[in-house]
Amino acid sequence: MLFGVRQLAAAFVRVELLRLRKGASKLAHSKKDARYVGSASVNGFAFLDINVSQTPGSGDAGRPLFAQFGRTAATRVWDGRTHSNYHSLQATLNRRFTSGLFLKGAYTYSRAIDEATYGDWTEYIWRAQSVRNRNRAPATHNIPHMFQLAYIYELPFGSGKKWANTRAGKTVLGGWQINGLFGAYGGRQYQLTASGASLNMPGNQQTPDQVKPDVAKLGKVGDAGTWFDTSAFARVTEVRFGNVGRNTMCGPGVVNMDLSLFRTFKLTEKLGMQFRAEAFNLSNTPHFANPNGNRNSSNFGRILSTQSGTGRDAIGGSRQFRFGLRLSF
């Protein structure tokens, strides 16, 4: 594999912030905050294969380096070339109650657009100069709607509390705290692909044709059926690109609930210990992966797995329990 490196162009990121805030009220014990947050990245680093076919139907003969050197292998150049932006409305509400309950809610409505999915080998899926503009689309990590609600509740038992504040009562019931985090997230964008046999333009991605004006969401998983109406898409059999763009589809959303129970013990004046019992994805709700997007696959449109639970899909794990002790001094 040959790598070409040209003079690297500088990349920069600009972040904009417009904020509206309402401070804490003596009556409401709450704080409200709404803001616009946006960013733009220019000349992000990515690879570009300069030896891809430039014309539909040209095959290897359409590769720029084939005519000169008979070369058909990828020839990647790494440089600052991608542009992306992010726009969002972010709203938060914090509310503290006199009973020992604290609530924190957050909602984000956003849109992220880029030209290539970031990774160890960030590169375009359409590399020919004539179709490179097709790469600009919603980002793979674009999640338009995100909602989270967290709470902390100190149970009203023990020293300084309303109930069970006698010696025996506070020994057994004092110091307990319940914590929780509920999250609901929209699905991620994903790409539809198809066989490039008729296109015959090596190094460029083929997509299917969308043959119906709207794609119905069926919402089925596994053997029950497909996530969307697969008859809305057809294979391309002509020497041209399909009309489906990059990341036009949206996968299943995620609903998750984490819960924990803490109890704090005072061992000495300066030494304390906390017992922790934590449950992640308490309801063991499946967090499904995106459907198969290959129009030529027999599993096209089917969801056959869950999210990995690692990396960027950390929320995808099945139910887990964790117990621990924390010593403070």
Side-chain angles (χ1 to χ4, degrees), residues 47-243:
F47 287 97
L48 176 65
D49 186 353
I50 60 173
N51 195 34
V52 300
S53 176
Q54 299 295 310
T55 308
S58 62
D60 285 336
R63 296 179 185 268
L65 301 181
F66 181 80
Q68 300 179 59
F69 310 107
R71 180 179 176 82
T72 59
T75 307
R76 294 182 174 91
V77 174
W78 189 61
D79 200 355
R81 64 179 83 255
T82 64
H83 308 295
S84 62
N85 61 59
Y86 171 78
H87 301 281
S88 69
L89 170 65
Q90 301 178 8
T92 60
L93 172 64
N94 298 335
R95 177 72 184 268
R96 184 180 298 276
F97 295 84
T98 56
S99 59
L101 175 64
F102 175 74
L103 296 177
K104 182 179 181 67
Y107 170 73
T108 300
Y109 173 65
S110 64
R111 184 171 178 83
I113 297 175
D114 65 9
E115 297 176 346
T117 301
Y118 177 78
D120 294 335
W121 288 84
T122 302
E123 60 181 320
Y124 299 119
I125 61 173
W126 287 294
R127 304 175 181 102
Q129 181 65 42
S130 60
V131 291
R132 205 173 300 164
N133 63 311
R134 296 188 66 178
N135 290 287
R136 184 172 178 80
T140 304
H141 59 267
N142 180 53
I143 303 178
H145 301 280
M146 302 181 68
F147 173 74
Q148 288 184 315
L149 178 64
Y151 62 88
I152 300 173
Y153 181 46
E154 297 178 354
L155 297 184
F157 308 115
S159 299
K161 304 295 182 180
K162 187 174 182 179
W163 294 299
N165 48 28
T166 61
R167 184 178 182 86
K170 67 182 182 181
T171 301
V172 177
L173 301 175
W176 289 98
Q177 176 182 306
I178 298 176
N179 316 283
L181 175 62
F182 171 81
Y185 312 90
R188 288 191 176 94
Q189 309 283 151
Y190 65 96
Q191 174 74 44
L192 296 184
T193 62
S195 170
S198 65
L199 176 65
N200 193 18
M201 193 176 175
N204 294 278
Q205 181 68 65
Q206 177 63 301
T207 63
D209 277 339
Q210 182 174 327
V211 295
K212 290 184 178 181
D214 299 302
V215 182
K217 176 183 173 182
L218 306 180
K220 297 179 180 179
V221 175
D223 294 335
T226 59
W227 179 255
F228 57 87
D229 177 13
T230 56
S231 66
F233 302 96
R235 301 182 182 93
V236 178
T237 58
E238 301 168 328
V239 186
R240 61 174 179 83
F241 285 99
N243 61 24

Side-chain angles (χ1 to χ4, degrees), residues 251-270:
V254 169
V255 175
N256 187 77
M257 179 68 185
D258 298 333
L259 185 70
S260 63
L261 181 64
F262 295 175
R263 187 181 184 186
T264 303
F265 301 89
K266 195 72 173 176
L267 301 179
T268 66
E269 183 179 347
K270 296 183 178 181

